[in-house]
Amino acid sequence: MVETTQKKWYVLHTYSGYEDKVKSDLLSRAQSMGMQDYIFRVMVPEEEKVETVRGKKQEVEEKIFPGYVLVEMVMTDESWFVVRNTPNVTGFVGSHGGGSKPSPLLDEEVSRLLKNQGQPAKTPTEDFDIGETVTITEGAFNGMVGKITDIQPDKYKLYVSVDMFGRATTAELDYDQVKKFDVND
């Protein structure tokens, strides 16, 4: 297993309009080529916009960086090769060509982008189950103990029921805002 502290975010340049295809192709290639311990998350940053079409307002998802895809990975010769040779990827941003390795994004840039996309900056290190007791470590419910009522792994969200003023209240939390309950805490 690879040291997860080596994980960094990199920017790929793709043909415009193929960002979602590159994302799905890259995730399936990582799976089929046994690179799950090197290639983790792939993201196409989008934002909701309101457009007027034929006199009606519609919400549409618009790419923030057309022609670019972000990938969280551990940079090795093998992982670089898999990503670089994914169809419709034209190269890494920050690479000087000739097979040189690219520069990763800065942690501050990544945190800001992930937060805007509704994702935590770090991939969860723990698996949670519905009905499991957790301690909330951040936010308005910091220090409270509750039970997980729902999990949305694609959004890195947990729904935790906590007792507040004698009533059950549900809190929507990121994976990194809770920890498994420990009786000794």
Side-chain angles (χ1 to χ4, degrees), residues 35 66 71 87 99 104 112 137 139:
M35 297 299 290
V71 60
R112 190 172 55 248
T137 59

Side-chain angles (χ1 to χ4, degrees), residues 43 109-121 157 174:
M43 185 173 64
E109 295 171 317
V110 172
S111 293
R112 190 172 55 248
L113 275 169
L114 290 173
K115 190 171 187 169
N116 288 342
Q117 295 301 300
Q119 296 186 32
K157 296 285 183 191
D174 292 334

Side-chain angles (χ1 to χ4, degrees), residues 9-179:
W9 283 90
Y10 296 89
V11 181
L12 303 176
H13 191 267
T14 67
Y15 292 115
S16 189
Y18 287 88
E19 301 88 355
D20 294 325
K21 178 86 171 114
V22 166
K23 177 181 178 177
S24 65
D25 286 352
L26 186 53
L27 289 170
S28 68
R29 281 173 56 93
Q31 190 75 30
S32 68
M33 299 176 97
M35 297 299 290
Q36 311 89 298
D37 290 340
Y38 296 91
I39 300 169
F40 303 96
R41 291 190 279 176
V42 182
M43 185 173 64
V44 179
E46 296 178 322
E47 63 184 355
E48 286 187 5
K49 294 263 182 165
V50 177
E51 286 184 357
T52 305
V53 180
R54 296 187 194 121
K56 293 184 180 179
K57 291 188 178 189
Q58 289 182 306
E59 281 190 9
V60 294
E61 291 286 326
E62 189 174 277
K63 308 270 186 287
I64 297 174
F65 307 116
Y68 296 94
V69 174
L70 304 176
V71 60
E72 182 183 33
M73 62 186 285
V74 174
M75 184 61 68
T76 65
D77 288 342
E78 294 82 14
S79 63
W80 176 86
F81 183 83
V82 168
V83 172
R84 178 66 185 87
N85 290 296
T86 299
N88 301 309
V89 171
T90 59
F92 279 91
V93 173
S95 177
H96 305 295
S100 69
K101 300 294 187 293
S103 302
L105 288 172
L106 298 173
D107 291 339
E108 304 83 55
E109 295 171 317
V110 172
S111 293
R112 190 172 55 248
L113 275 169
L114 290 173
K115 190 171 187 169
N116 288 342
Q117 295 301 300
Q119 296 186 32
K122 296 187 173 109
T123 305
T125 55
E126 296 188 68
D127 289 327
F128 296 101
D129 297 312
I130 291 177
E132 185 173 359
T133 302
V134 294
T135 303
I136 300 171
T137 59
E138 287 182 24
F141 299 103
N142 187 12
M144 296 183 88
V145 175
K147 284 202 183 304
I148 297 173
T149 58
D150 191 19
I151 300 173
Q152 291 188 350
D154 55 327
K155 295 183 179 176
Y156 301 98
K157 296 285 183 191
L158 297 171
Y159 293 87
V160 178
S161 178
V162 294
D163 186 39
M164 191 162 193
F165 307 118
R167 298 180 69 185
T169 303
T170 301
E172 178 182 306
L173 302 162
D174 292 334
Y175 277 47
D176 58 357
Q177 290 181 292
V178 300
K179 67 177 184 176

